[in-house]
Amino acid sequence: MTGIGGVFFKSEDPIKLRKWYEEILGIQADEYGKTFLWNSTEPPNVGSTVWAPFKQQTTYFEPSQKQFMINFRVDNLHELVKELQEKGEEILAPIIEESYGKFAHIVDPEGNKVELWEPVDHVMNDLVNEEVSK
């Protein structure tokens, strides 16, 4: 684990909730939430953590019935998945590969879905630079 990649939670009205967070706390989010940028002493020196409300009816957290999901940033997801399987953990689906990273999902002993994310640094850096230049 290299950090928290995001906090995702269910909301009865994500649009209204995002608006409240914008008006009250100044968090300007889009339909995918808000990406907070941070600096690190480790390369690539810039990282991000996402805050995102999801619709109450989302199926993305399944099989968990919990109201939230945590995304952990990881290095070498394929190796981590292999280690988890050796420890008897069930990987919910094959690793998903997107342009901005690889994803795998497990469920903790209390039924919380956990998302494991290996970001693609150069793509994330491009997104960060685009965000900073706005």
PDB file of all heavy atoms in Angstrom, residues 1 72-85 91 93-98 101-106 114-119:
ATOM      1  N   MET A   1       0.846  -1.175   0.000  1.00  0.00           N
ATOM      2  CA  MET A   1       0.000   0.000   0.000  1.00  0.00           C
ATOM      3  C   MET A   1       0.891   1.238   0.000  1.00  0.00           C
ATOM      4  O   MET A   1       1.856   1.295   0.749  1.00  0.00           O
ATOM      5  CB  MET A   1      -0.884   0.045   1.235  1.00  0.00           C
ATOM      6  CG  MET A   1      -1.822  -1.118   1.455  1.00  0.00           C
ATOM      7  SD  MET A   1      -3.004  -1.312   0.149  1.00  0.00           S
ATOM      8  CE  MET A   1      -2.794  -3.037  -0.150  1.00  0.00           C
ATOM      9  N   PHE A  72      -7.290   1.961  -2.067  1.00  0.00           N
ATOM     10  CA  PHE A  72      -5.892   2.080  -1.657  1.00  0.00           C
ATOM     11  C   PHE A  72      -4.999   2.110  -2.883  1.00  0.00           C
ATOM     12  O   PHE A  72      -5.172   1.303  -3.806  1.00  0.00           O
ATOM     13  CB  PHE A  72      -5.470   0.884  -0.789  1.00  0.00           C
ATOM     14  CG  PHE A  72      -6.053   0.893   0.583  1.00  0.00           C
ATOM     15  CD1 PHE A  72      -7.129   0.096   0.900  1.00  0.00           C
ATOM     16  CD2 PHE A  72      -5.503   1.702   1.573  1.00  0.00           C
ATOM     17  CE1 PHE A  72      -7.673   0.097   2.176  1.00  0.00           C
ATOM     18  CE2 PHE A  72      -6.043   1.712   2.858  1.00  0.00           C
ATOM     19  CZ  PHE A  72      -7.123   0.910   3.149  1.00  0.00           C
ATOM     20  N   ARG A  73      -4.050   3.040  -2.899  1.00  0.00           N
ATOM     21  CA  ARG A  73      -3.025   3.081  -3.944  1.00  0.00           C
ATOM     22  C   ARG A  73      -2.017   1.975  -3.627  1.00  0.00           C
ATOM     23  O   ARG A  73      -1.622   1.803  -2.474  1.00  0.00           O
ATOM     24  CB  ARG A  73      -2.316   4.436  -3.942  1.00  0.00           C
ATOM     25  CG  ARG A  73      -3.204   5.597  -4.323  1.00  0.00           C
ATOM     26  CD  ARG A  73      -2.508   6.927  -4.107  1.00  0.00           C
ATOM     27  NE  ARG A  73      -1.271   7.029  -4.843  1.00  0.00           N
ATOM     28  CZ  ARG A  73      -1.146   7.614  -6.043  1.00  0.00           C
ATOM     29  NH1 ARG A  73      -2.190   8.167  -6.611  1.00  0.00           N
ATOM     30  NH2 ARG A  73       0.018   7.654  -6.649  1.00  0.00           N
ATOM     31  N   VAL A  74      -1.592   1.243  -4.638  1.00  0.00           N
ATOM     32  CA  VAL A  74      -0.643   0.140  -4.442  1.00  0.00           C
ATOM     33  C   VAL A  74       0.420   0.158  -5.535  1.00  0.00           C
ATOM     34  O   VAL A  74       0.234   0.763  -6.591  1.00  0.00           O
ATOM     35  CB  VAL A  74      -1.350  -1.238  -4.434  1.00  0.00           C
ATOM     36  CG1 VAL A  74      -2.435  -1.291  -3.379  1.00  0.00           C
ATOM     37  CG2 VAL A  74      -1.916  -1.589  -5.788  1.00  0.00           C
ATOM     38  N   ASP A  75       1.511  -0.510  -5.268  1.00  0.00           N
ATOM     39  CA  ASP A  75       2.540  -0.781  -6.271  1.00  0.00           C
ATOM     40  C   ASP A  75       2.389  -2.241  -6.687  1.00  0.00           C
ATOM     41  O   ASP A  75       2.082  -3.098  -5.861  1.00  0.00           O
ATOM     42  CB  ASP A  75       3.949  -0.583  -5.685  1.00  0.00           C
ATOM     43  CG  ASP A  75       4.327   0.875  -5.557  1.00  0.00           C
ATOM     44  OD1 ASP A  75       3.833   1.694  -6.354  1.00  0.00           O
ATOM     45  OD2 ASP A  75       5.129   1.192  -4.658  1.00  0.00           O
ATOM     46  N   ASN A  76       2.610  -2.534  -7.955  1.00  0.00           N
ATOM     47  CA  ASN A  76       2.639  -3.893  -8.487  1.00  0.00           C
ATOM     48  C   ASN A  76       1.390  -4.696  -8.109  1.00  0.00           C
ATOM     49  O   ASN A  76       1.447  -5.655  -7.337  1.00  0.00           O
ATOM     50  CB  ASN A  76       3.907  -4.619  -8.032  1.00  0.00           C
ATOM     51  CG  ASN A  76       4.171  -5.852  -8.872  1.00  0.00           C
ATOM     52  OD1 ASN A  76       3.303  -6.331  -9.603  1.00  0.00           O
ATOM     53  ND2 ASN A  76       5.372  -6.370  -8.761  1.00  0.00           N
ATOM     54  N   LEU A  77       0.269  -4.301  -8.669  1.00  0.00           N
ATOM     55  CA  LEU A  77      -1.013  -4.922  -8.352  1.00  0.00           C
ATOM     56  C   LEU A  77      -1.030  -6.420  -8.658  1.00  0.00           C
ATOM     57  O   LEU A  77      -1.576  -7.208  -7.883  1.00  0.00           O
ATOM     58  CB  LEU A  77      -2.151  -4.219  -9.103  1.00  0.00           C
ATOM     59  CG  LEU A  77      -3.557  -4.721  -8.803  1.00  0.00           C
ATOM     60  CD1 LEU A  77      -3.897  -4.568  -7.324  1.00  0.00           C
ATOM     61  CD2 LEU A  77      -4.567  -3.991  -9.665  1.00  0.00           C
ATOM     62  N   HIS A  78      -0.432  -6.826  -9.771  1.00  0.00           N
ATOM     63  CA  HIS A  78      -0.430  -8.255 -10.117  1.00  0.00           C
ATOM     64  C   HIS A  78       0.239  -9.085  -9.023  1.00  0.00           C
ATOM     65  O   HIS A  78      -0.284 -10.142  -8.641  1.00  0.00           O
ATOM     66  CB  HIS A  78       0.253  -8.485 -11.476  1.00  0.00           C
ATOM     67  CG  HIS A  78      -0.587  -8.062 -12.635  1.00  0.00           C
ATOM     68  ND1 HIS A  78      -1.626  -8.830 -13.120  1.00  0.00           N
ATOM     69  CD2 HIS A  78      -0.561  -6.946 -13.392  1.00  0.00           C
ATOM     70  CE1 HIS A  78      -2.195  -8.213 -14.127  1.00  0.00           C
ATOM     71  NE2 HIS A  78      -1.570  -7.058 -14.319  1.00  0.00           N
ATOM     72  N   GLU A  79       1.365  -8.607  -8.499  1.00  0.00           N
ATOM     73  CA  GLU A  79       2.057  -9.327  -7.426  1.00  0.00           C
ATOM     74  C   GLU A  79       1.222  -9.322  -6.147  1.00  0.00           C
ATOM     75  O   GLU A  79       1.117 -10.335  -5.450  1.00  0.00           O
ATOM     76  CB  GLU A  79       3.435  -8.707  -7.173  1.00  0.00           C
ATOM     77  CG  GLU A  79       4.248  -9.442  -6.143  1.00  0.00           C
ATOM     78  CD  GLU A  79       4.602 -10.868  -6.541  1.00  0.00           C
ATOM     79  OE1 GLU A  79       4.740 -11.150  -7.757  1.00  0.00           O
ATOM     80  OE2 GLU A  79       4.736 -11.710  -5.637  1.00  0.00           O
ATOM     81  N   LEU A  80       0.603  -8.186  -5.834  1.00  0.00           N
ATOM     82  CA  LEU A  80      -0.229  -8.103  -4.639  1.00  0.00           C
ATOM     83  C   LEU A  80      -1.411  -9.070  -4.733  1.00  0.00           C
ATOM     84  O   LEU A  80      -1.725  -9.776  -3.768  1.00  0.00           O
ATOM     85  CB  LEU A  80      -0.740  -6.674  -4.430  1.00  0.00           C
ATOM     86  CG  LEU A  80      -1.696  -6.479  -3.258  1.00  0.00           C
ATOM     87  CD1 LEU A  80      -1.055  -6.894  -1.941  1.00  0.00           C
ATOM     88  CD2 LEU A  80      -2.168  -5.030  -3.209  1.00  0.00           C
ATOM     89  N   VAL A  81      -2.051  -9.128  -5.883  1.00  0.00           N
ATOM     90  CA  VAL A  81      -3.185 -10.046  -6.064  1.00  0.00           C
ATOM     91  C   VAL A  81      -2.725 -11.490  -5.856  1.00  0.00           C
ATOM     92  O   VAL A  81      -3.404 -12.279  -5.190  1.00  0.00           O
ATOM     93  CB  VAL A  81      -3.841  -9.840  -7.455  1.00  0.00           C
ATOM     94  CG1 VAL A  81      -4.722 -11.013  -7.833  1.00  0.00           C
ATOM     95  CG2 VAL A  81      -4.631  -8.539  -7.469  1.00  0.00           C
ATOM     96  N   LYS A  82      -1.574 -11.825  -6.392  1.00  0.00           N
ATOM     97  CA  LYS A  82      -1.033 -13.181  -6.211  1.00  0.00           C
ATOM     98  C   LYS A  82      -0.827 -13.468  -4.720  1.00  0.00           C
ATOM     99  O   LYS A  82      -1.197 -14.537  -4.225  1.00  0.00           O
ATOM    100  CB  LYS A  82       0.287 -13.310  -6.972  1.00  0.00           C
ATOM    101  CG  LYS A  82       0.791 -14.722  -7.087  1.00  0.00           C
ATOM    102  CD  LYS A  82       2.150 -14.827  -7.775  1.00  0.00           C
ATOM    103  CE  LYS A  82       2.192 -14.072  -9.069  1.00  0.00           C
ATOM    104  NZ  LYS A  82       3.509 -14.151  -9.750  1.00  0.00           N
ATOM    105  N   GLU A  83      -0.241 -12.500  -3.987  1.00  0.00           N
ATOM    106  CA  GLU A  83      -0.009 -12.668  -2.547  1.00  0.00           C
ATOM    107  C   GLU A  83      -1.328 -12.821  -1.790  1.00  0.00           C
ATOM    108  O   GLU A  83      -1.439 -13.645  -0.878  1.00  0.00           O
ATOM    109  CB  GLU A  83       0.764 -11.480  -1.988  1.00  0.00           C
ATOM    110  CG  GLU A  83       2.206 -11.426  -2.419  1.00  0.00           C
ATOM    111  CD  GLU A  83       2.914 -10.166  -1.946  1.00  0.00           C
ATOM    112  OE1 GLU A  83       2.436  -9.521  -0.989  1.00  0.00           O
ATOM    113  OE2 GLU A  83       3.954  -9.823  -2.544  1.00  0.00           O
ATOM    114  N   LEU A  84      -2.326 -12.022  -2.153  1.00  0.00           N
ATOM    115  CA  LEU A  84      -3.629 -12.110  -1.491  1.00  0.00           C
ATOM    116  C   LEU A  84      -4.272 -13.468  -1.727  1.00  0.00           C
ATOM    117  O   LEU A  84      -4.836 -14.069  -0.804  1.00  0.00           O
ATOM    118  CB  LEU A  84      -4.547 -10.992  -1.977  1.00  0.00           C
ATOM    119  CG  LEU A  84      -4.149  -9.572  -1.554  1.00  0.00           C
ATOM    120  CD1 LEU A  84      -5.001  -8.546  -2.281  1.00  0.00           C
ATOM    121  CD2 LEU A  84      -4.262  -9.411  -0.047  1.00  0.00           C
ATOM    122  N   GLN A  85      -4.178 -13.964  -2.947  1.00  0.00           N
ATOM    123  CA  GLN A  85      -4.748 -15.277  -3.256  1.00  0.00           C
ATOM    124  C   GLN A  85      -4.035 -16.373  -2.469  1.00  0.00           C
ATOM    125  O   GLN A  85      -4.680 -17.309  -1.981  1.00  0.00           O
ATOM    126  CB  GLN A  85      -4.687 -15.548  -4.761  1.00  0.00           C
ATOM    127  CG  GLN A  85      -5.662 -14.686  -5.537  1.00  0.00           C
ATOM    128  CD  GLN A  85      -5.495 -14.774  -7.036  1.00  0.00           C
ATOM    129  OE1 GLN A  85      -4.372 -14.855  -7.544  1.00  0.00           O
ATOM    130  NE2 GLN A  85      -6.601 -14.755  -7.752  1.00  0.00           N
ATOM    131  N   ILE A  91     -10.371 -12.635  -4.860  1.00  0.00           N
ATOM    132  CA  ILE A  91     -10.351 -11.456  -5.727  1.00  0.00           C
ATOM    133  C   ILE A  91     -11.689 -11.488  -6.466  1.00  0.00           C
ATOM    134  O   ILE A  91     -12.036 -12.491  -7.087  1.00  0.00           O
ATOM    135  CB  ILE A  91      -9.160 -11.494  -6.709  1.00  0.00           C
ATOM    136  CG1 ILE A  91      -7.836 -11.705  -5.954  1.00  0.00           C
ATOM    137  CG2 ILE A  91      -9.130 -10.232  -7.557  1.00  0.00           C
ATOM    138  CD1 ILE A  91      -7.510 -10.674  -4.901  1.00  0.00           C
ATOM    139  N   ALA A  93     -12.981 -10.128  -9.137  1.00  0.00           N
ATOM    140  CA  ALA A  93     -13.035 -10.224 -10.603  1.00  0.00           C
ATOM    141  C   ALA A  93     -11.603 -10.125 -11.107  1.00  0.00           C
ATOM    142  O   ALA A  93     -10.699  -9.750 -10.359  1.00  0.00           O
ATOM    143  CB  ALA A  93     -13.889  -9.081 -11.167  1.00  0.00           C
ATOM    144  N   PRO A  94     -11.391 -10.446 -12.366  1.00  0.00           N
ATOM    145  CA  PRO A  94     -10.042 -10.252 -12.915  1.00  0.00           C
ATOM    146  C   PRO A  94      -9.614  -8.783 -12.791  1.00  0.00           C
ATOM    147  O   PRO A  94     -10.460  -7.888 -12.714  1.00  0.00           O
ATOM    148  CB  PRO A  94     -10.194 -10.641 -14.388  1.00  0.00           C
ATOM    149  CG  PRO A  94     -11.411 -11.520 -14.430  1.00  0.00           C
ATOM    150  CD  PRO A  94     -12.309 -11.010 -13.342  1.00  0.00           C
ATOM    151  N   ILE A  95      -8.312  -8.557 -12.776  1.00  0.00           N
ATOM    152  CA  ILE A  95      -7.786  -7.192 -12.714  1.00  0.00           C
ATOM    153  C   ILE A  95      -8.334  -6.392 -13.893  1.00  0.00           C
ATOM    154  O   ILE A  95      -8.333  -6.859 -15.030  1.00  0.00           O
ATOM    155  CB  ILE A  95      -6.244  -7.198 -12.710  1.00  0.00           C
ATOM    156  CG1 ILE A  95      -5.742  -7.791 -11.389  1.00  0.00           C
ATOM    157  CG2 ILE A  95      -5.683  -5.797 -12.939  1.00  0.00           C
ATOM    158  CD1 ILE A  95      -4.237  -7.972 -11.321  1.00  0.00           C
ATOM    159  N   ILE A  96      -8.806  -5.193 -13.588  1.00  0.00           N
ATOM    160  CA  ILE A  96      -9.337  -4.284 -14.611  1.00  0.00           C
ATOM    161  C   ILE A  96      -8.211  -3.327 -14.974  1.00  0.00           C
ATOM    162  O   ILE A  96      -7.587  -2.727 -14.085  1.00  0.00           O
ATOM    163  CB  ILE A  96     -10.540  -3.497 -14.063  1.00  0.00           C
ATOM    164  CG1 ILE A  96     -11.647  -4.459 -13.650  1.00  0.00           C
ATOM    165  CG2 ILE A  96     -11.034  -2.477 -15.080  1.00  0.00           C
ATOM    166  CD1 ILE A  96     -12.697  -3.834 -12.746  1.00  0.00           C
ATOM    167  N   GLU A  97      -7.942  -3.168 -16.263  1.00  0.00           N
ATOM    168  CA  GLU A  97      -6.883  -2.264 -16.701  1.00  0.00           C
ATOM    169  C   GLU A  97      -7.490  -1.114 -17.485  1.00  0.00           C
ATOM    170  O   GLU A  97      -8.141  -1.321 -18.501  1.00  0.00           O
ATOM    171  CB  GLU A  97      -5.845  -3.022 -17.523  1.00  0.00           C
ATOM    172  CG  GLU A  97      -5.173  -4.120 -16.697  1.00  0.00           C
ATOM    173  CD  GLU A  97      -3.849  -4.597 -17.238  1.00  0.00           C
ATOM    174  OE1 GLU A  97      -3.198  -3.841 -17.983  1.00  0.00           O
ATOM    175  OE2 GLU A  97      -3.475  -5.728 -16.897  1.00  0.00           O
ATOM    176  N   GLU A  98      -7.288   0.089 -16.971  1.00  0.00           N
ATOM    177  CA  GLU A  98      -7.747   1.327 -17.622  1.00  0.00           C
ATOM    178  C   GLU A  98      -6.519   2.146 -17.993  1.00  0.00           C
ATOM    179  O   GLU A  98      -5.413   1.834 -17.562  1.00  0.00           O
ATOM    180  CB  GLU A  98      -8.633   2.136 -16.650  1.00  0.00           C
ATOM    181  CG  GLU A  98      -9.874   1.423 -16.173  1.00  0.00           C
ATOM    182  CD  GLU A  98     -10.966   1.325 -17.235  1.00  0.00           C
ATOM    183  OE1 GLU A  98     -10.824   1.917 -18.320  1.00  0.00           O
ATOM    184  OE2 GLU A  98     -11.966   0.645 -16.969  1.00  0.00           O
ATOM    185  N   GLY A 101      -4.833   3.339 -14.780  1.00  0.00           N
ATOM    186  CA  GLY A 101      -4.409   2.419 -13.737  1.00  0.00           C
ATOM    187  C   GLY A 101      -5.076   1.065 -13.805  1.00  0.00           C
ATOM    188  O   GLY A 101      -5.967   0.823 -14.611  1.00  0.00           O
ATOM    189  N   LYS A 102      -4.609   0.194 -12.926  1.00  0.00           N
ATOM    190  CA  LYS A 102      -5.148  -1.161 -12.794  1.00  0.00           C
ATOM    191  C   LYS A 102      -5.916  -1.243 -11.487  1.00  0.00           C
ATOM    192  O   LYS A 102      -5.510  -0.647 -10.491  1.00  0.00           O
ATOM    193  CB  LYS A 102      -4.012  -2.176 -12.769  1.00  0.00           C
ATOM    194  CG  LYS A 102      -3.159  -2.176 -14.011  1.00  0.00           C
ATOM    195  CD  LYS A 102      -1.959  -3.092 -13.821  1.00  0.00           C
ATOM    196  CE  LYS A 102      -0.974  -2.869 -14.946  1.00  0.00           C
ATOM    197  NZ  LYS A 102       0.341  -3.386 -14.617  1.00  0.00           N
ATOM    198  N   PHE A 103      -7.002  -2.033 -11.478  1.00  0.00           N
ATOM    199  CA  PHE A 103      -7.869  -2.142 -10.315  1.00  0.00           C
ATOM    200  C   PHE A 103      -8.174  -3.609  -9.991  1.00  0.00           C
ATOM    201  O   PHE A 103      -8.358  -4.417 -10.890  1.00  0.00           O
ATOM    202  CB  PHE A 103      -9.205  -1.433 -10.570  1.00  0.00           C
ATOM    203  CG  PHE A 103      -9.073   0.037 -10.786  1.00  0.00           C
ATOM    204  CD1 PHE A 103      -8.816   0.545 -12.046  1.00  0.00           C
ATOM    205  CD2 PHE A 103      -9.204   0.917  -9.717  1.00  0.00           C
ATOM    206  CE1 PHE A 103      -8.688   1.912 -12.250  1.00  0.00           C
ATOM    207  CE2 PHE A 103      -9.072   2.281  -9.910  1.00  0.00           C
ATOM    208  CZ  PHE A 103      -8.818   2.774 -11.179  1.00  0.00           C
ATOM    209  N   ALA A 104      -8.247  -3.903  -8.705  1.00  0.00           N
ATOM    210  CA  ALA A 104      -8.724  -5.196  -8.220  1.00  0.00           C
ATOM    211  C   ALA A 104      -9.575  -4.912  -6.986  1.00  0.00           C
ATOM    212  O   ALA A 104      -9.434  -3.855  -6.352  1.00  0.00           O
ATOM    213  CB  ALA A 104      -7.563  -6.117  -7.870  1.00  0.00           C
ATOM    214  N   HIS A 105     -10.447  -5.858  -6.650  1.00  0.00           N
ATOM    215  CA  HIS A 105     -11.359  -5.660  -5.522  1.00  0.00           C
ATOM    216  C   HIS A 105     -11.394  -6.896  -4.638  1.00  0.00           C
ATOM    217  O   HIS A 105     -11.400  -8.024  -5.132  1.00  0.00           O
ATOM    218  CB  HIS A 105     -12.773  -5.363  -6.028  1.00  0.00           C
ATOM    219  CG  HIS A 105     -12.849  -4.118  -6.832  1.00  0.00           C
ATOM    220  ND1 HIS A 105     -12.762  -4.110  -8.206  1.00  0.00           N
ATOM    221  CD2 HIS A 105     -12.979  -2.829  -6.460  1.00  0.00           C
ATOM    222  CE1 HIS A 105     -12.844  -2.863  -8.644  1.00  0.00           C
ATOM    223  NE2 HIS A 105     -12.974  -2.065  -7.602  1.00  0.00           N
ATOM    224  N   ILE A 106     -11.436  -6.630  -3.331  1.00  0.00           N
ATOM    225  CA  ILE A 106     -11.611  -7.681  -2.331  1.00  0.00           C
ATOM    226  C   ILE A 106     -12.667  -7.189  -1.339  1.00  0.00           C
ATOM    227  O   ILE A 106     -13.091  -6.032  -1.406  1.00  0.00           O
ATOM    228  CB  ILE A 106     -10.291  -8.021  -1.596  1.00  0.00           C
ATOM    229  CG1 ILE A 106      -9.738  -6.782  -0.875  1.00  0.00           C
ATOM    230  CG2 ILE A 106      -9.263  -8.599  -2.557  1.00  0.00           C
ATOM    231  CD1 ILE A 106      -8.508  -7.058  -0.007  1.00  0.00           C
ATOM    232  N   VAL A 114     -13.101  -3.324  -0.807  1.00  0.00           N
ATOM    233  CA  VAL A 114     -11.842  -2.592  -0.835  1.00  0.00           C
ATOM    234  C   VAL A 114     -11.346  -2.598  -2.274  1.00  0.00           C
ATOM    235  O   VAL A 114     -11.246  -3.657  -2.896  1.00  0.00           O
ATOM    236  CB  VAL A 114     -10.790  -3.252   0.092  1.00  0.00           C
ATOM    237  CG1 VAL A 114      -9.453  -2.547  -0.012  1.00  0.00           C
ATOM    238  CG2 VAL A 114     -11.300  -3.272   1.536  1.00  0.00           C
ATOM    239  N   GLU A 115     -11.051  -1.403  -2.779  1.00  0.00           N
ATOM    240  CA  GLU A 115     -10.533  -1.269  -4.139  1.00  0.00           C
ATOM    241  C   GLU A 115      -9.026  -1.049  -4.061  1.00  0.00           C
ATOM    242  O   GLU A 115      -8.560  -0.209  -3.294  1.00  0.00           O
ATOM    243  CB  GLU A 115     -11.215  -0.092  -4.833  1.00  0.00           C
ATOM    244  CG  GLU A 115     -10.837   0.074  -6.281  1.00  0.00           C
ATOM    245  CD  GLU A 115     -11.738   1.074  -6.973  1.00  0.00           C
ATOM    246  OE1 GLU A 115     -11.690   2.270  -6.591  1.00  0.00           O
ATOM    247  OE2 GLU A 115     -12.481   0.675  -7.878  1.00  0.00           O
ATOM    248  N   LEU A 116      -8.281  -1.817  -4.836  1.00  0.00           N
ATOM    249  CA  LEU A 116      -6.828  -1.703  -4.901  1.00  0.00           C
ATOM    250  C   LEU A 116      -6.486  -1.104  -6.258  1.00  0.00           C
ATOM    251  O   LEU A 116      -6.914  -1.617  -7.288  1.00  0.00           O
ATOM    252  CB  LEU A 116      -6.189  -3.082  -4.731  1.00  0.00           C
ATOM    253  CG  LEU A 116      -6.618  -3.821  -3.466  1.00  0.00           C
ATOM    254  CD1 LEU A 116      -6.161  -5.264  -3.505  1.00  0.00           C
ATOM    255  CD2 LEU A 116      -6.102  -3.102  -2.227  1.00  0.00           C
ATOM    256  N   TRP A 117      -5.711  -0.018  -6.265  1.00  0.00           N
ATOM    257  CA  TRP A 117      -5.451   0.731  -7.486  1.00  0.00           C
ATOM    258  C   TRP A 117      -3.961   0.972  -7.671  1.00  0.00           C
ATOM    259  O   TRP A 117      -3.311   1.552  -6.813  1.00  0.00           O
ATOM    260  CB  TRP A 117      -6.184   2.069  -7.420  1.00  0.00           C
ATOM    261  CG  TRP A 117      -5.893   3.043  -8.510  1.00  0.00           C
ATOM    262  CD1 TRP A 117      -5.804   2.791  -9.848  1.00  0.00           C
ATOM    263  CD2 TRP A 117      -5.660   4.443  -8.359  1.00  0.00           C
ATOM    264  NE1 TRP A 117      -5.542   3.955 -10.527  1.00  0.00           N
ATOM    265  CE2 TRP A 117      -5.443   4.989  -9.632  1.00  0.00           C
ATOM    266  CE3 TRP A 117      -5.618   5.289  -7.250  1.00  0.00           C
ATOM    267  CZ2 TRP A 117      -5.192   6.327  -9.849  1.00  0.00           C
ATOM    268  CZ3 TRP A 117      -5.367   6.635  -7.463  1.00  0.00           C
ATOM    269  CH2 TRP A 117      -5.162   7.144  -8.748  1.00  0.00           C
ATOM    270  N   GLU A 118      -3.446   0.512  -8.808  1.00  0.00           N
ATOM    271  CA  GLU A 118      -2.074   0.821  -9.199  1.00  0.00           C
ATOM    272  C   GLU A 118      -2.155   1.896 -10.276  1.00  0.00           C
ATOM    273  O   GLU A 118      -2.469   1.613 -11.436  1.00  0.00           O
ATOM    274  CB  GLU A 118      -1.367  -0.418  -9.744  1.00  0.00           C
ATOM    275  CG  GLU A 118       0.054  -0.146 -10.169  1.00  0.00           C
ATOM    276  CD  GLU A 118       0.732  -1.354 -10.792  1.00  0.00           C
ATOM    277  OE1 GLU A 118       0.300  -2.500 -10.577  1.00  0.00           O
ATOM    278  OE2 GLU A 118       1.721  -1.134 -11.520  1.00  0.00           O
ATOM    279  N   PRO A 119      -1.912   3.158  -9.910  1.00  0.00           N
ATOM    280  CA  PRO A 119      -2.047   4.232 -10.893  1.00  0.00           C
ATOM    281  C   PRO A 119      -0.963   4.174 -11.964  1.00  0.00           C
ATOM    282  O   PRO A 119       0.124   3.657 -11.742  1.00  0.00           O
ATOM    283  CB  PRO A 119      -1.910   5.508 -10.059  1.00  0.00           C
ATOM    284  CG  PRO A 119      -1.327   5.113  -8.768  1.00  0.00           C
ATOM    285  CD  PRO A 119      -1.522   3.647  -8.591  1.00  0.00           C
TER     286      PRO A 119
END
